[in-house]
Amino acid sequence: MDILRPDSLEAARAALKNGSVALAGGTELVPLLRDRIVEADTIVEIRHAVPRGIQGTRIGAGTTLGELEVDPQIPDALREACRLAASPQLRAMGTIGGNLLQATRCWYWRLKYPCWLHGGGRCFAHEGLHREHAVFANAPCASAHPSDVAAALLALGATVRTDRRELPIAELYRLPTGDDRRMTGLEPGELILELEVPMPAASTYLKAMDRKRFAFALVGVAAARSPEGTRLALAGMAPIPWLLEDESALDEATPLPGNAYKLEIARALIRRALVAVAP
Amino acid sequence: MARLIRTEKEVEGRYTEQWIVVDEDVLEQWPAGPLETVGRPVPRADGGQRARGEARYTADIKLPGMLHAAILRSPHAKARVRRIDTGRARRAPGVRAVLGPETGPLTDEPPYEGAPVAAVAAETSEQARTAVSLIEVEWERLEPLLDPEEAVRRNELIDEPNREERGEVERGLAESDAVVEAEYRTQTVLHNSMETHQAICEWDGDDRLTVYISTQFIWGVREEVAKRFGLPEDHVRVVCRFMGGGFGSKNGPGDYTYVAAELARATGRPVKCALTRREENLDSGNRNSTIQRLRVGARSDGTLTFLDGEFVNATGWDGWLASTGGPMRLLYACENVRTVEYGAKLNTPPMAAFRAPGFVEGTFGLECLLDELAAKLEIDPLELRRRNHSTHDAVDERPFSSKQLLECYRRAEPHWERRDEVRARSDATWKRGVGLASQVWYGGGGPPSYAWVRIGGDGRAAVITGMQDIGTGSATAMAQIAAEELGLPVDRIEVALGDSARGPYATISAGSSTIPSMGPAVRAAAADAARQLIEIAAQRYDREERVLSLKNGQIVSSDGGSWPLEEITGLLESGQILGKGSRGPNPTGMRVLTFGVQVAEVAVDVETGEVVVEKIVAIHDVGRVINPLGASSQVEGGIIQGLGHTLSEERLLDPSTGGNLTQTLDAYKIPTIADVPEIVTDLVDVPDEHLTNLGSKGLGEPPIIPTAAAIANAIRDATGADVRSLPITREEMLRALREASRQPAREEVGA
């Protein structure tokens, strides 16, 4: 396996072709490579090719979660989502761009069961153990999206700028289909460069996990109030970050026998989040 | 004169009888309370080395020419190898040897996921793992047996069921004013030692073998390895200088050591076999899950009339029947007690001892049951325990060698009395409460264990013994014991351990036995050397022996004279004073046990099921405390491990395949430092006057035993919800809250 370290966006774009994979902080990609879930002959380190840092409402995709969690200018929801993610060591390495592209923590998928998401015929979590899995859009795949940051950005109405286009963050993600089982609409080699995060009137992110720190969200609730209204988004509840119309939309969930409890938690956290962002 | 004595020995609650030789005069116990060094806080001797990364663990050892092993493990819970082709693996880069299932301990009929099937030795561990992935296997998958209740129905058992009864439960039932019956469940948890299981084997010729291994028992490894390879035991040298955690899972050599030895023999080079974290969580032992169907009866005044328990341990493919019923048999004075324990033989990885095996699980059930009874009788839970305090071991009518449980209860009172104040801090969302649970366990240790003490011309001393320090700080405690006896500052004592070729036989570090087994031998060896020093000094300084003593590195005479120790040892130049000591017998006809109580304060978010443990007070009676600093760190470690067991840790198996879904530390959730509550340690520190020349029992296991029940009882106090199943995750907490809200107020007292 080769490692390339391009020093410009152009050089990175040229390097990112078939058989190569982009590496930023490495906290997600390295384990996937080690487990041979992601196969690549070339790793393209994009540290010097994508912007890093915070300028007003613009956040470079190479900014680490550790840098974001201590910045007083970014919206509370995003800062809290960063602070409650992973461990200090991982946040010192992991970038916001990479965080948005995390794969699910579904244990069947991570252990390479021949499941639907790996191209197989069925979702093992449906019949098996699924306490951490999705309660929305959970057929044919019940995997849950792990990103706290993505839920926060979804509630905040962020825009993603890639090397090819600008799109609302909601359009970055897609529910997988039988023909195309990817969770994002990024083209091969497309790089997230920057996020535009409008400043809300108020925002918050609340997270329920199995221990106080260093765990993926069982339920993550982001809320942001702006002049257009209050937007809610969920982490850990669907195969992709999930925008929620309002609390009553929880009634449309389709929980599995072992994860209905997530809805109970979500209800409480949504109430609390709405109180927190109320004028 | 050497005397031959037959004595009883206990490890992890299992008793054996054995012959021992006693060759010293019995030393009187030291007075109770802090002495010059013993009983005072001493930072651990190797703490700096460990913190700076200088301590060389087995994982750090790289021998010249060393190869790395990797193991092909069964991906199926039950399967047969129809065909195996190791050709591609043999030809892969760096590969030096491949072993197939025909070589033990590898197997072509793996009976659980993770069982070893084939192994490779290569120049690097990456090459070895790559080669393993090139081994082609055609599997015949078989239907695994995964359900413990089904195994009991089919009589698929690891051993005969263990049925014990005293008195008559039916009579007790008839005398009861109140009866509580409940089912409790505990989950499978994994040890997750920081240092995974590993060994390096190096042959010297074809009949001498050195084993560097992360182990709790170098002599046990020596014996088993020698037996397996048909070698005299002295031809096997076992080394474990620093050790990164075992918790009961490293009591023997394990498959990985045999794989390393076979590959080392095949290649003529040293071979390291180190488990990855995933292998560690697949096949290095576990605390088996349990199902406990319990009943208790009592008179209206709280006197227990009977205890009745049926326990199903999901033992796995191999292992032993841990005493889940032990606390029910031992903790309370109750005339009518019946326990039945089943060990279900399943297509799941074998259990291994895990810090108070059986008693952690059984105490959760029993001590929750007691609180449910207290609620029904409207008796204060602490008072209920006092009323049923046992004054002797009712299992075989023996007196306790010592028991300070009532003193523990007395010291618990101020913490217990905080209940109203803690509850009053509840609000609509967060409910607060206090709970307690008692602890009983073994921990008396036993013979044989030996130590040598060597004093050089410079007046410094070395303690030499073949024990191991598994990270508990026992080496520091040994230095303190020798320092006390020799009247030396503790920094003039060196402890040499961890090498079977460089010291005499010493105890297993399991069953809370290192201090109670080893400490008395070290004291005896130091006393032997001290006696010689006094005798020599008496001649040199023309004094009677009885007026001389050793203190602060001086030989002190009661007439006022004093001489630095090195003044007399220096006369010998390179000469040395050698002392030897051994562990004497356990007290005849007595039951040696440890006791304690823990009080937990919790807060429960009743809307989201979050449980926050805010404080745990741990009050334990383990006899004399050698090093209060090391002891409190042991208590904290036990409680934190217990906290994981109570709230977040669980090995999950896919219900249809039996595959382990929690092999990595993101899925298997041990507590982080953010989860750790305030921990207050209070040790009673009264020497057991019948036990050895020290009066010390072990402390490794007691602190983990009552934690789960204390927390669960605090949750009941806070919310009224009965949490009967571990771990108390959010869904379990919310389920229990829903159930509690559906039930009317508790029934009136009366059966």
Side-chain angles (χ1 to χ4, degrees):
Chain A
M1 207 182 311
D2 294 326
I3 300 184
L4 300 177
R5 295 194 170 82
D7 57 4
S8 70
L9 177 58
E10 289 65 37
R13 291 183 63 164
L16 281 167
K17 48 186 191 290
N18 277 349
S20 66
V21 60
L23 173 107
T27 54
E28 165 78 340
L29 183 64
V30 171
L32 291 174
L33 286 168
R34 188 194 54 208
D35 295 339
R36 297 181 187 171
I37 291 174
V38 171
E39 304 265 5
D41 8 283
T42 307
I43 292 172
V44 181
E45 200 204 289
I46 55 170
R47 194 178 301 226
H48 302 292
V50 301
R52 176 173 182 174
I54 305 156
Q55 281 192 324
T57 55
R58 296 211 315 269
I59 297 171
T63 312
T64 66
L65 302 195
E67 288 162 346
L68 289 165
E69 70 178 295
V70 295
D71 192 291
Q73 295 174 54
I74 66 167
D76 292 343
L78 180 56
R79 194 173 48 248
E80 280 299 290
C82 291
R83 193 178 68 85
L84 293 173
S87 66
Q89 293 88 339
L90 290 165
R91 297 198 298 271
M93 291 299 289
T95 65
I96 186 167
N99 188 282
L100 297 180
L101 302 180
Q102 282 177 91
T104 180
R105 305 308 302 183
C106 170
W107 31 50
Y108 295 101
W109 188 83
R110 293 261 162 187
L111 292 167
K112 298 206 281 187
Y113 278 64
C115 72
W116 186 88
L117 194 55
H118 277 308
R122 69 183 179 102
C123 172
F124 285 79
H126 272 96
E127 301 294 312
L129 298 183
H130 48 246
R131 65 178 291 272
E132 303 183 357
H133 286 68
V135 294
F136 286 104
N138 50 9
C141 166
S143 71
H145 199 275
S147 173
D148 304 303
V149 169
L153 292 177
L154 199 54
L156 290 163
T159 304
V160 179
R161 184 169 72 80
T162 75
D163 61 334
R164 296 165 209 190
R165 54 184 161 151
E166 276 191 18
L167 69 169
I169 188 159
E171 292 175 22
L172 178 65
Y173 297 102
R174 60 183 293 281
L175 282 169
T177 58
D179 298 338
D180 182 352
R181 302 185 184 187
R182 293 175 309 146
M183 303 280 185
T184 78
L186 289 184
E187 297 164 7
E190 186 173 5
L191 284 173
I192 298 177
L193 298 181
E194 207 168 61
L195 297 149
E196 168 74 31
V197 187
M199 187 52 91
S203 70
T204 192
Y205 182 73
L206 303 175
K207 181 177 180 182
M209 17 183 180
D210 281 324
R211 57 188 171 201
K212 273 200 178 160
R213 287 289 185 277
F214 198 11
F216 290 95
L218 296 169
V219 181
V221 172
R225 179 172 57 83
S226 65
E228 299 91 71
T230 297
R231 229 185 335 245
L232 289 166
L234 304 176
M237 297 283 274
I240 58 175
W242 200 249
L243 203 56
L244 203 68
E245 205 59 29
D246 52 33
E247 192 193 328
S248 68
L250 289 177
D251 298 336
E252 293 154 28
T254 52
L256 303 170
N259 68 5
Y261 77 97
K262 284 190 167 196
L263 292 166
E264 203 172 332
I265 297 174
R267 246 175 256 287
L269 294 188
I270 287 171
R271 274 200 304 276
R272 291 177 195 181
L274 291 175
V275 169
V277 301
Chain B
M1 190 189 103
R3 288 170 295 136
L4 189 61
I5 294 179
R6 191 145 176 87
T7 186
E8 190 177 56
K9 182 181 185 174
E10 168 275 321
V11 176
E12 309 277 28
R14 289 179 289 176
Y15 286 88
T16 51
E17 285 222 329
Q18 64 185 90
W19 292 102
I20 62 161
V21 173
V22 178
D23 192 25
E24 304 102 22
D25 295 333
V26 176
L27 296 165
E28 297 233 336
Q29 278 189 12
W30 287 314
L35 308 169
E36 289 291 323
T37 305
V38 164
R40 297 190 186 276
V42 174
R44 63 178 66 188
D46 53 18
Q49 268 175 293
R50 288 177 192 265
R52 289 190 299 270
E54 294 162 3
R56 288 225 309 163
Y57 293 80
T58 307
D60 298 314
I61 294 174
K62 294 183 181 72
L63 299 180
M66 186 176 84
L67 299 172
H68 297 264
I71 296 176
L72 172 70
R73 295 179 178 276
S74 172
H76 305 300
K78 189 177 181 188
R80 206 172 282 138
V81 175
R82 277 214 193 98
R83 190 186 62 82
I84 183 164
D85 182 353
T86 58
R88 285 177 69 204
R90 281 178 203 282
R91 294 188 297 275
V95 171
R96 298 292 170 255
V98 178
L99 301 178
E102 67 285 353
T103 310
L106 307 169
T107 174
D108 59 4
E109 288 199 36
Y112 56 89
E113 189 201 26
V117 174
V120 172
E123 297 289 340
T124 70
S125 57
E126 291 73 20
Q127 287 173 332
R129 288 188 197 291
T130 302
V132 159
S133 71
L134 297 174
I135 297 173
E136 291 160 30
V137 185
E138 190 186 315
W139 295 103
E140 181 187 352
R141 288 181 67 170
L142 305 168
E143 192 59 36
L145 177 56
L146 302 170
D147 177 4
E149 303 259 49
E150 177 63 22
V152 171
R153 276 192 295 273
R154 289 197 217 163
N155 210 30
E156 294 282 350
L157 301 175
I158 205 77
D159 206 343
E160 288 298 304
N162 181 33
R163 300 173 198 277
E164 298 193 32
E165 182 163 9
R166 65 173 184 258
E168 279 174 53
V169 164
E170 303 314 319
R171 194 181 64 214
L173 180 62
E175 293 168 1
S176 301
D177 295 320
V179 173
V180 175
E181 185 168 358
E183 182 179 295
Y184 299 90
R185 287 177 181 247
T186 64
Q187 79 282 36
T188 303
V189 289
L190 304 170
H191 304 71
N192 262 308
S193 305
M194 289 252 279
E195 182 183 38
T196 60
H197 285 63
Q198 51 196 295
I200 302 161
C201 289
E202 182 177 36
W203 289 89
D204 176 5
D206 60 3
D207 68 342
R208 285 172 194 273
L209 180 61
T210 300
V211 182
Y212 302 87
I213 179 171
S214 182
T215 185
Q216 297 174 234
F217 192 20
I218 61 177
W219 296 88
V221 171
R222 187 178 97 130
E223 182 184 338
E224 288 187 48
V225 168
K227 197 179 292 170
R228 184 169 188 105
F229 292 100
L231 303 171
E233 288 187 25
D234 274 340
H235 285 203
V236 178
R237 177 183 168 210
V238 180
V239 181
C240 178
R241 178 69 189 86
F242 287 97
M243 208 269 208
F247 312 109
S249 69
K250 292 180 181 167
N251 291 346
D255 294 345
Y256 52 97
T257 303
Y258 298 138
V259 165
E262 294 286 2
L263 287 167
R265 189 151 65 175
T267 58
R269 290 168 63 177
V271 174
K272 174 185 264 187
C273 188
L275 269 56
T276 63
R277 178 60 52 189
R278 289 183 189 199
E279 289 177 292
E280 183 79 5
N281 281 345
L282 273 175
D283 188 22
S284 70
N286 58 69
R287 183 191 298 285
N288 56 239
S289 65
T290 69
I291 302 164
Q292 309 175 28
R293 282 179 277 271
L294 311 183
R295 277 198 309 167
V296 61
R299 294 204 186 89
S300 53
D301 67 357
T303 309
L304 297 184
T305 47
F306 78 96
L307 284 162
D308 188 14
E310 184 187 78
F311 304 86
V312 176
N313 291 5
T315 307
W317 185 252
D318 201 358
W320 46 279
L321 189 50
S323 278
T324 314
M328 185 171 265
R329 296 190 292 267
L330 279 174
L331 190 48
Y332 294 111
C334 180
E335 287 174 15
N336 309 301
V337 180
R338 178 170 66 195
T339 57
V340 187
E341 297 158 301
Y342 300 93
K345 182 163 183 162
L346 303 166
N347 293 113
T348 60
M351 59 76 80
F354 189 162
R355 212 167 187 168
F359 275 55
V360 166
E361 302 87 310
T363 299
F364 171 68
L366 176 66
E367 286 294 86
C368 287
L369 185 74
L370 259 280
D371 262 40
E372 294 193 38
L373 176 68
K376 193 162 189 173
L377 292 170
E378 294 181 347
I379 293 178
D380 177 282
L382 179 56
E383 183 54 29
L384 179 66
R385 287 167 173 86
R386 274 208 186 96
R387 285 185 197 171
N388 292 287
H389 179 264
S390 64
T391 53
H392 65 282
D393 169 15
V395 175
D396 47 13
E397 298 292 328
R398 294 186 191 199
F400 297 122
S401 60
S402 70
K403 181 174 183 178
Q404 302 290 337
L405 184 57
L406 288 174
E407 173 63 11
C408 294
Y409 288 152
R410 193 188 65 76
R411 294 188 188 198
E413 271 168 26
H415 308 287
W416 183 238
E417 282 164 6
R418 285 167 46 83
R419 271 190 305 165
D420 292 338
E421 182 196 321
V422 169
R423 280 196 206 124
R425 284 192 286 114
S426 300
D427 57 33
T429 316
W430 287 94
K431 304 296 179 195
R432 290 183 156 77
V434 179
L436 62 78
S438 304
Q439 168 258 314
V440 66
W441 174 247
Y442 309 94
S449 270
Y450 307 92
W452 299 329
V453 164
R454 184 180 74 200
I455 300 169
D458 58 0
R460 296 177 61 90
V463 174
I464 301 158
T465 170
M467 70 174 243
Q468 55 285 312
D469 183 337
I470 60 170
T472 56
S474 47
T476 308
M478 297 309 148
Q480 287 178 264
I481 292 165
E484 190 69 42
E485 191 65 38
L486 292 167
L488 282 174
V490 73
D491 60 8
R492 279 168 68 175
I493 310 284
E494 202 64 29
V495 178
L497 49 70
D499 188 336
S500 68
R502 296 182 186 167
Y505 180 93
T507 180
I508 186 172
S509 292
S512 302
S513 65
T514 311
I515 298 267
S517 294
M518 199 63 235
V522 169
R523 186 180 170 213
D528 186 25
R531 173 189 56 79
Q532 297 174 52
L533 289 172
I534 297 283
E535 288 171 1
I536 298 164
Q539 297 160 46
R540 180 70 180 167
Y541 303 118
D542 201 18
R543 298 286 197 289
E544 281 184 66
E545 287 165 24
R546 61 176 180 81
V547 303
L548 296 177
S549 60
L550 302 171
K551 203 170 180 191
N552 295 327
Q554 309 271 322
I555 294 161
V556 180
S557 169
S558 59
D559 62 20
S562 75
W563 306 270
L565 183 63
E566 53 271 33
E567 189 177 297
I568 193 150
T569 55
L571 291 174
L572 305 174
E573 299 180 19
S574 301
Q576 298 175 332
I577 306 288
L578 301 176
K580 68 177 173 64
S582 63
R583 167 64 150 86
N586 279 336
T588 310
M590 291 184 155
R591 179 66 73 212
V592 184
L593 297 173
T594 57
F595 303 93
V597 61
Q598 287 182 7
V599 185
E601 297 183 14
V602 307
V604 181
D605 178 343
V606 293
E607 293 174 356
T608 71
E610 183 176 8
V611 176
V612 176
V613 179
E614 299 189 323
K615 183 178 182 182
I616 292 188
V617 179
I619 304 161
H620 293 273
D621 162 32
V622 293
R624 180 195 301 279
V625 176
I626 306 296
N627 182 359
L629 188 61
S632 62
S633 130
Q634 277 287 75
V635 171
E636 288 158 15
I639 287 174
I640 294 167
Q641 206 163 36
L643 189 72
H645 183 226
T646 311
L647 297 182
S648 60
E649 294 184 34
E650 181 169 20
R651 184 202 65 185
L652 295 172
L653 298 185
D654 177 70
S656 64
T657 64
N660 180 338
L661 301 176
T662 50
Q663 299 177 31
T664 50
L665 288 171
D666 59 324
Y668 185 88
K669 296 179 190 84
I670 61 177
T672 70
I673 198 67
D675 297 283
V676 176
E678 178 190 0
I679 296 173
V680 178
T681 300
D682 182 4
L683 299 174
V684 173
D685 196 9
V686 172
D688 180 334
E689 60 172 331
H690 298 106
L691 181 67
T692 74
N693 57 32
L694 280 185
S696 292
K697 302 171 189 175
L699 179 61
E701 287 155 310
I704 197 178
I705 294 172
T707 307
I711 292 171
N713 287 339
I715 290 171
R716 187 179 296 102
D717 185 53
T719 65
D722 290 321
V723 276
R724 295 177 178 147
S725 181
L726 297 181
I728 308 166
T729 55
R730 288 177 184 253
E731 61 264 44
E732 171 59 17
M733 189 65 244
L734 291 170
R735 188 206 57 74
L737 285 164
R738 268 196 310 276
E739 192 178 281
S741 70
R742 274 201 300 268
Q743 280 178 357
R746 287 182 186 279
E747 298 162 42
E748 292 303 305
V749 178

